[in-house]
Amino acid sequence: MTYCVAIRLESGLIFASDSRTNAGVDNIATFQKMYTFEIAGRLRLVMMTSGNLATSQSVASLLDLKSRQDGPGSLRRIGSLYDAAVLVGQTLREVIARDGGGDGQVDLGASFLLGGQLAGERPRLFNIYPQGNFIEATADTPCFQIGETKYGKPILDRVLNYRSSLEEAIRCALISLDSTMRSNLSVALPIHLMWHHNDDFTPRAPLRIGEDDRYFRELRAAWGRGIKETFAALPATPWSEELA
Amino acid sequence: MTYCVAIRLESGLIFASDSRTNAGVDNIATFQKMYTFEIAGRLRLVMMTSGNLATSQSVASLLDLKSRQDGPGSLRRIGSLYDAAVLVGQTLREVIARDGGGDGQVDLGASFLLGGQLAGERPRLFNIYPQGNFIEATADTPCFQIGETKYGKPILDRVLNYRSSLEEAIRCALISLDSTMRSNLSVALPIHLMWHHNDDFTPRAPLRIGEDDRYFRELRAAWGRGIKETFAALPATPWSEELA
């Protein structure tokens, strides 16, 4: 499985993904699910994937290939982030059509979160479905998740909104990933983390947060401690005497 | 959907269930999913259901009918809680065999959590699958969930264990339900809550916790406040300057 979360904030975008893939419990591997494409001063694109790994890797490879050749389907030629989402959707359909001739027993579907900014346009964030169509994040619904989404949703629902800072959104995304990893073995470190400030096109590689990352260890320890303290301080039930 | 959680503790058992059923978003109703069967001084049984409502209601009705008549299949005759789990499983298979003659388009499956105590035996808790077979909770794995289980699992994983008190387990179950209800519209109030102290066979009806329940309102407010405070007090990221 996989867990990826992306958030469209007033001040920019943040992206976080885990790295575990599995085909059964005895076939577990580590793959980065975050891809970036940048043109200094003009474009930043971040794509995260879940679903069939062969499909999502092929989509990423084909997009990369076409963009290097700068032929049709090149990300260098997009006039809007919307065009990039259309390209991802088209490439996804191509890959599924190409590889889908088998017995139909294997689900080739993949989902994508694609966000970033093209100079002259506002930052945008898209959730691309296995069918290749997509929706866009708004101030009302600034957060998209793909993969194993449920364990990490309550914390997003409780503390996050469009006006949260990048710093808050990163902490929230990391805790959302931590909660998911604790409750589900198919989601695991390292985490890849990326952010984009509105109108800042300085190239930047995703941060890789592994087991030995000091900040993440501090963060999860502080969160675990806070949850336990909050829990211990909850009001006693009206049935305390009967329960004792 | 549904969310039910039951916990087998050193000192007893607790049970909590929501009340929402839905067949599509325009067919939402309230049904209690918790059933109790008691013989003063000798037996307490608590059963919670998820899945197909026609199936689970029929299972409960048939068990009730047979137990009133005290014929074969009566819960009055069980020599162990294990027998009760077998009876529920058998009744479930009977109902599915009886009602399963249709076009196979509808999933008739239902899951059950069944727990309680028969005098002379320790308290026990079973998770009964749609096939009618079942597993039993142990000190290592004291907690079972059925229905929409993922949103409410992180809090159980973090604060609950076999040695938790009944009071702690009730608070934890209520927060687990609250988190689920906030993130998923198919799980909703009222909650039904039941507990069993080891060897206490005083008959007791489930508590019904609705929107106007003062304690539940206090609890969810305190939890929400604590989460927000814990979140606000988390250590700043090492990238704070760059993010500001």
Side-chain angles (χ1 to χ4, degrees):
Chain A
M1 205 64 185
T2 288
Y3 177 41
C4 303
V5 55
I7 308 162
R8 166 82 186 92
L9 303 157
E10 198 171 35
S11 55
L13 295 154
I14 79 108
F15 303 85
S17 57
D18 88 308
S19 303
R20 179 156 288 177
T21 67
N22 68 299
V25 287
D26 54 358
N27 190 352
I28 286 178
T30 300
F31 283 94
Q32 180 169 340
K33 298 158 190 176
M34 182 184 285
Y35 301 85
T36 56
F37 183 83
E38 293 172 323
I39 302 173
R42 202 165 78 80
L43 174 66
R44 185 184 334 271
L45 272 177
V46 181
M47 183 172 85
M48 300 188 293
T49 69
S50 81
N52 187 294
L53 183 65
T55 298
S56 59
Q57 278 196 345
S58 261
V59 169
S61 290
L62 287 172
L63 284 168
D64 180 58
L65 206 66
K66 288 177 184 171
S67 301
R68 280 169 196 271
Q69 294 165 345
D70 207 13
S74 168
L75 291 169
R76 297 183 177 279
R77 297 186 175 197
I78 57 171
S80 161
L81 255 281
Y82 183 92
D83 296 342
V86 170
L87 271 183
V88 172
Q90 278 176 348
T91 310
L92 172 59
R93 283 190 287 253
E94 281 168 31
V95 170
I96 290 177
R98 183 194 71 186
D99 295 348
D103 57 8
Q105 297 292 300
V106 177
D107 181 2
L108 297 181
S111 299
F112 298 79
L113 297 181
L114 178 76
Q117 189 178 8
L118 179 69
E121 202 182 40
R122 70 186 189 283
R124 303 178 76 168
L125 171 63
F126 298 93
N127 186 352
I128 303 169
Y129 298 117
Q131 292 73 24
N133 59 348
F134 49 85
I135 58 171
E136 181 169 2
T138 63
D140 286 330
T141 303
C143 181
F144 286 149
Q145 305 169 284
I146 54 174
E148 190 60 69
T149 60
K150 295 185 179 183
Y151 302 105
K153 187 162 182 283
I155 181 65
L156 300 170
D157 287 341
R158 278 186 197 272
V159 307
L160 199 80
N161 65 66
Y162 182 64
R163 301 202 195 290
S164 301
S165 68
L166 286 174
E167 166 92 19
E168 287 167 334
I170 286 175
R171 283 191 225 156
C172 189
L174 291 178
I175 289 164
S176 179
L177 270 148
D178 181 41
S179 296
T180 308
M181 292 188 296
R182 278 173 187 272
S183 288
N184 189 299
L185 286 179
S186 74
V187 175
L189 291 173
I191 291 168
H192 292 90
L193 176 68
M194 186 77 177
W195 64 81
H196 172 75
H197 262 297
N198 291 350
D199 305 317
D200 173 5
F201 295 98
T202 320
R204 179 190 304 119
L207 288 173
R208 184 184 170 99
I209 297 174
E211 215 36 91
D212 56 349
D213 185 275
R214 196 171 142 195
Y215 174 66
F216 189 59
R217 275 156 64 173
E218 279 176 24
L219 184 77
R220 66 203 304 189
W223 181 250
R225 216 163 38 233
I227 292 287
K228 287 206 168 79
E229 285 168 9
T230 298
F231 186 78
L234 288 174
T237 70
W239 323 291
S240 294
E241 276 186 37
E242 201 186 337
L243 289 166
Chain B
M1 204 63 186
T2 288
Y3 176 42
C4 303
V5 55
I7 308 163
R8 166 80 186 93
L9 304 157
E10 198 172 34
S11 55
L13 295 154
I14 80 108
F15 304 85
S17 58
D18 88 308
S19 304
R20 179 156 288 178
T21 67
N22 68 298
V25 289
D26 53 358
N27 190 352
I28 287 179
T30 300
F31 283 94
Q32 180 169 339
K33 298 159 191 175
M34 182 184 286
Y35 300 85
T36 56
F37 182 83
E38 293 173 325
I39 303 174
R42 204 166 77 79
L43 176 66
R44 185 183 335 270
L45 272 176
V46 182
M47 184 171 84
M48 299 188 294
T49 70
S50 80
N52 187 294
L53 183 65
T55 299
S56 59
Q57 278 195 344
S58 261
V59 170
S61 290
L62 286 172
L63 284 168
D64 180 58
L65 205 66
K66 289 177 182 173
S67 302
R68 280 168 196 271
Q69 295 165 346
D70 206 15
S74 167
L75 291 169
R76 297 182 176 279
R77 297 187 174 197
I78 58 171
S80 162
L81 255 282
Y82 183 92
D83 297 341
V86 171
L87 272 182
V88 172
Q90 278 175 350
T91 311
L92 172 59
R93 282 189 289 252
E94 281 168 33
V95 170
I96 289 178
R98 184 194 71 187
D99 295 348
D103 57 9
Q105 298 291 301
V106 177
D107 182 2
L108 295 182
S111 299
F112 298 80
L113 297 181
L114 178 75
Q117 188 178 10
L118 180 67
E121 203 182 37
R122 70 187 190 282
R124 302 177 76 167
L125 172 63
F126 299 94
N127 186 352
I128 303 169
Y129 298 116
Q131 291 74 24
N133 59 349
F134 48 84
I135 58 172
E136 182 170 3
T138 64
D140 286 330
T141 303
C143 180
F144 285 150
Q145 305 168 284
I146 53 174
E148 190 59 70
T149 61
K150 294 185 180 184
Y151 303 105
K153 188 162 183 282
I155 181 64
L156 300 170
D157 288 342
R158 278 187 198 270
V159 307
L160 198 81
N161 66 66
Y162 182 64
R163 302 203 194 292
S164 300
S165 68
L166 286 175
E167 167 93 19
E168 286 166 334
I170 286 174
R171 283 190 225 156
C172 189
L174 291 178
I175 288 163
S176 179
L177 271 147
D178 182 41
S179 296
T180 308
M181 292 187 297
R182 277 172 188 272
S183 288
N184 189 298
L185 284 179
S186 74
V187 175
L189 290 173
I191 291 167
H192 292 90
L193 175 69
M194 185 76 177
W195 64 80
H196 172 74
H197 262 295
N198 291 349
D199 304 319
D200 173 4
F201 295 98
T202 320
R204 178 190 303 118
L207 288 171
R208 184 183 169 99
I209 297 174
E211 216 35 92
D212 56 349
D213 185 274
R214 196 171 143 195
Y215 175 66
F216 189 60
R217 275 158 62 174
E218 278 175 25
L219 185 78
R220 66 203 304 190
W223 181 251
R225 216 162 40 233
I227 293 286
K228 286 206 169 79
E229 284 167 10
T230 298
F231 186 79
L234 287 175
T237 70
W239 323 291
S240 293
E241 276 187 36
E242 200 185 337
L243 290 166

